[in-house]
Amino acid sequence: MTTNSAAFIASRAALAQIGDQRVWSIIVTLFGDLAQQADDRISGPLLSQIIEQIGIKPEAMRVALHRLRKDGWISSEKSGRTSMYRLTDYGRKQSREASFRIYARVLNLPDVWHVLVAKPMPKKERTEYSNALIAKGYILIGTGVLLKNGPAGGAVTDAFVIEGNQFNVPDWLRQNIGLEQMQDAYKLLQKTLKSVQKNLDRDPEISTLEVVVLRVLLVHNWRYLVLRSTDLPQDFYPNDWSEPSCRKLTHEILDRLGLPSLAQLNLAFE
Amino acid sequence: MTTNSAAFIASRAALAQIGDQRVWSIIVTLFGDLAQQADDRISGPLLSQIIEQIGIKPEAMRVALHRLRKDGWISSEKSGRTSMYRLTDYGRKQSREASFRIYARVLNLPDVWHVLVAKPMPKKERTEYSNALIAKGYILIGTGVLLKNGPAGGAVTDAFVIEGNQFNVPDWLRQNIGLEQMQDAYKLLQKTLKSVQKNLDRDPEISTLEVVVLRVLLVHNWRYLVLRSTDLPQDFYPNDWSEPSCRKLTHEILDRLGLPSLAQLNLAFE
């Protein structure tokens, strides 16, 4: 085993403190970043190395892989005595869909949004109605009032709908939809990303394996926030909204690290 | 006294059955139609003739004139032994503002509308908040949710606002905002206006005084509905919405009747 670089050790420590720590979720991020193409395979030994370097125990990895195979995300096959892991078609589809949001360098806001006002109904029924829409990406902004990007489309018939792109967004609404907590989370990520940048400035020499591990941790942290954020009209965001800065920093660091060749990695860790 | 024409008698009877029967309100309509300019005066004798022909008793007219003077709408002065009545500056201003809506030949809908979502608040407070907005021309479409024509403007700061001009309007909302009752009222007016047209076709010769009285009754009936209607986006109206037909019929009959000269009327009824 080689010794890890100082930049890697410090950056990994910073990135390990935030975000989603579920092992299966980290493995999904890894496959999405390194092996999203149909022919991509990650060998068992390489997978073990990456996971170990992230700081996850082998038993936890085995449990997570078992779950991912059971859920149809990942499959494995033998190549000689080596297990080769890949995303299933289903896993690739999920991964690709999430990638549009995760890897977008610029947030493209839609031209139009719509606000839906539900028919008057008893509270319990209204809550169920609202929750069904929230599951489809709507944001609750009032009693039976929900906002979503894009036009309403023909699917909404029994609710009042107005489409538009001019808004007034009061502070109570920013608070109610949790934008302040999101801002806190983005600020923490921003601070972490800046420290990773400084580590890499000070000590640019890091190994290919370290690059892969840092990429996974970076993407995983960014992904954790960006997939939890619903796209909102610009007027919703506070003036010092840190999401664009985090997006820029994430891409700067990923570009600087580069994407190692999966084939060479597999060879190096046979 | 001359005998009234058959067309007048039938039309007056039809028009007297609907609308706002308050005498002061009818007098306001009369001044708005016949004497809205700064120099316009209606002599006491002419006023009495018109009011009597409408079917209002002299005592009721005196009470209404007393109220209108007290409220600053109308003032009177003596010219020799004759009282001359006119709108005050205040009365003219009110009359002019209403005239934009009453006499418009085409309903000009605004390019943009806004929906306002109030801050979460207790029911009693929310009702007061909503009622204050309804008094400003908003329409309640949900719990703390109100619609109005035009942009929200800078006045709305503590509510969420979306501006737009694309809508989906479900039937329950049409019912809730009373469009069905309005449609019934417009249909009744439409029927009445058509009968007035027929009366005039059959028997076109009517006197100048009869013209004035019919105009007042026509404008008063139309005004009663149109000032109660809030402008709404086109999508709100049912396909067979009768307001445009009533507007067209009202103008056709007014054009046909013409507007008699106030000076000649005053001379004729000295």
Side-chain angles (χ1 to χ4, degrees):
Chain A
M1 281 291 303
T2 53
T3 312
N4 282 320
S5 68
F8 173 78
I9 292 171
S11 299
R12 178 177 63 182
L15 287 164
Q17 287 169 31
I18 57 177
D20 180 359
Q21 303 296 327
R22 289 169 299 176
V23 178
W24 69 266
S25 173
I26 294 173
I27 293 175
V28 164
T29 301
L30 165 62
F31 274 86
D33 194 54
L34 190 64
Q36 201 181 121
Q37 302 310 309
D39 295 337
D40 290 343
R41 306 281 185 277
I42 302 182
S43 75
L46 174 60
L47 190 58
S48 297
Q49 282 292 316
I50 297 168
I51 294 296
E52 191 187 320
Q53 286 289 323
I54 288 172
I56 294 166
K57 295 217 160 60
E59 311 88 77
M61 181 184 89
R62 276 195 295 274
V63 171
L65 283 174
H66 179 75
R67 174 173 170 187
L68 286 167
R69 266 193 299 231
K70 203 177 134 214
D71 290 352
W73 270 81
I74 275 177
S75 66
S76 67
E77 56 209 46
K78 284 279 181 184
S79 167
R81 289 175 57 194
T82 309
S83 290
M84 301 299 284
Y85 295 88
R86 65 174 184 88
L87 288 172
T88 60
D89 288 347
Y90 167 78
R92 283 182 60 231
K93 184 169 174 288
Q94 303 293 316
S95 189
R96 198 166 53 240
E97 280 173 12
S99 290
F100 289 126
R101 298 191 65 193
I102 298 168
Y103 291 96
R105 286 177 186 262
V106 179
L107 178 61
N108 284 312
L109 290 177
D111 294 337
V112 73
W113 306 77
H114 69 276
V115 165
L116 178 158
V117 181
K119 184 175 175 166
M121 49 180 106
K123 191 175 176 181
K124 185 167 172 288
E125 207 179 314
R126 190 175 62 235
T127 304
E128 285 166 13
Y129 181 92
S130 299
N131 286 343
L133 289 173
I134 290 164
K136 289 182 186 170
Y138 280 85
I139 293 174
L140 193 69
I141 60 173
T143 307
V145 186
L146 299 108
L147 169 76
K148 193 175 185 294
N149 54 14
V156 179
T157 55
D158 199 34
F160 171 75
V161 171
I162 176 172
E163 292 177 13
N165 53 20
Q166 294 290 313
F167 301 91
N168 179 61
V169 183
D171 287 337
W172 59 262
L173 182 56
R174 289 197 183 89
Q175 283 169 23
N176 282 6
I177 62 178
L179 272 184
E180 296 193 346
Q181 295 98 298
M182 281 304 288
Q183 171 71 328
D184 290 345
Y186 275 123
K187 277 194 174 146
L188 177 60
L189 178 61
Q190 188 183 28
K191 203 178 138 193
T192 305
L193 294 172
K194 283 182 179 167
S195 81
V196 170
Q197 252 183 346
K198 264 188 208 151
N199 296 334
L200 293 172
D201 285 344
R202 252 197 312 264
D203 186 9
E205 292 295 320
I206 68 169
S207 74
T208 310
L209 184 64
E210 288 174 341
V211 164
V212 172
V213 171
L214 281 191
R215 285 185 66 96
V216 171
L217 290 172
L218 273 169
V219 173
H220 196 65
N221 277 292
W222 164 247
R223 175 190 114 146
Y224 179 69
L225 292 186
V226 82
L227 293 190
R228 260 165 196 71
S229 311
T230 312
D231 288 353
L232 287 167
Q234 197 61 51
D235 310 74
F236 275 74
Y237 298 114
N239 287 332
D240 61 344
W241 182 234
S242 304
E243 185 261 15
S245 163
C246 289
R247 187 183 297 270
K248 189 163 164 281
L249 285 164
T250 300
H251 278 285
E252 279 174 9
I253 302 172
L254 289 178
D255 289 347
R256 172 181 193 154
L257 293 171
L259 183 60
S261 152
L262 180 56
Q264 290 185 12
L265 278 165
N266 277 327
L267 282 174
F269 293 92
E270 260 184 323
Chain B
M1 280 294 303
T2 53
T3 312
N4 283 319
S5 68
F8 173 78
I9 292 170
S11 300
R12 177 177 63 182
L15 287 163
Q17 287 169 32
I18 57 177
D20 180 359
Q21 304 296 327
R22 290 169 299 177
V23 178
W24 69 267
S25 173
I26 294 173
I27 294 176
V28 164
T29 300
L30 165 62
F31 274 86
D33 193 55
L34 191 63
Q36 201 181 120
Q37 302 310 309
D39 295 335
D40 289 344
R41 305 282 186 277
I42 301 182
S43 74
L46 174 59
L47 190 57
S48 297
Q49 283 292 317
I50 296 168
I51 294 295
E52 191 187 318
Q53 286 288 324
I54 288 172
I56 295 167
K57 296 216 159 60
E59 310 88 80
M61 181 183 88
R62 275 196 294 275
V63 171
L65 283 173
H66 179 76
R67 174 173 170 187
L68 285 167
R69 266 194 298 233
K70 202 178 135 216
D71 291 352
W73 269 81
I74 276 177
S75 66
S76 67
E77 57 209 45
K78 285 277 181 185
S79 167
R81 289 175 56 192
T82 309
S83 290
M84 300 299 285
Y85 295 88
R86 65 172 184 90
L87 288 173
T88 60
D89 288 348
Y90 168 79
R92 283 182 60 232
K93 184 170 173 289
Q94 302 293 317
S95 189
R96 199 166 54 239
E97 282 173 11
S99 290
F100 290 126
R101 297 191 65 193
I102 298 168
Y103 291 95
R105 283 176 187 264
V106 179
L107 177 60
N108 284 310
L109 290 177
D111 295 336
V112 73
W113 307 77
H114 69 276
V115 165
L116 177 158
V117 181
K119 183 175 174 166
M121 49 181 108
K123 191 175 176 181
K124 186 166 172 288
E125 207 178 313
R126 188 175 61 234
T127 304
E128 285 167 11
Y129 181 92
S130 297
N131 286 343
L133 289 173
I134 289 164
K136 289 182 187 170
Y138 280 86
I139 293 174
L140 192 68
I141 59 172
T143 309
V145 186
L146 299 110
L147 169 76
K148 192 175 185 295
N149 54 13
V156 179
T157 55
D158 199 33
F160 171 75
V161 171
I162 176 172
E163 292 176 14
N165 54 20
Q166 293 291 312
F167 301 91
N168 180 61
V169 183
D171 287 337
W172 58 261
L173 182 56
R174 288 197 184 90
Q175 284 170 22
N176 283 7
I177 62 179
L179 273 184
E180 295 191 348
Q181 294 99 298
M182 282 304 288
Q183 172 71 327
D184 290 345
Y186 275 123
K187 277 194 175 146
L188 177 60
L189 179 60
Q190 187 182 28
K191 202 177 139 195
T192 305
L193 294 172
K194 282 182 178 166
S195 81
V196 170
Q197 251 183 347
K198 264 189 207 147
N199 297 334
L200 294 171
D201 285 344
R202 254 197 312 263
D203 185 8
E205 290 296 319
I206 68 170
S207 74
T208 310
L209 184 63
E210 287 175 341
V211 164
V212 172
V213 172
L214 281 191
R215 285 186 64 97
V216 172
L217 290 172
L218 274 168
V219 173
H220 196 65
N221 277 291
W222 164 247
R223 175 191 115 146
Y224 179 69
L225 291 187
V226 81
L227 294 189
R228 259 163 196 71
S229 310
T230 312
D231 288 352
L232 286 168
Q234 198 59 50
D235 310 74
F236 275 74
Y237 299 114
N239 287 333
D240 61 344
W241 182 232
S242 303
E243 184 261 16
S245 164
C246 289
R247 187 184 298 271
K248 189 163 165 281
L249 286 165
T250 300
H251 278 286
E252 278 175 10
I253 302 172
L254 289 178
D255 289 347
R256 172 182 195 155
L257 292 172
L259 182 61
S261 151
L262 179 56
Q264 291 184 12
L265 278 165
N266 277 328
L267 282 174
F269 293 91
E270 260 184 323

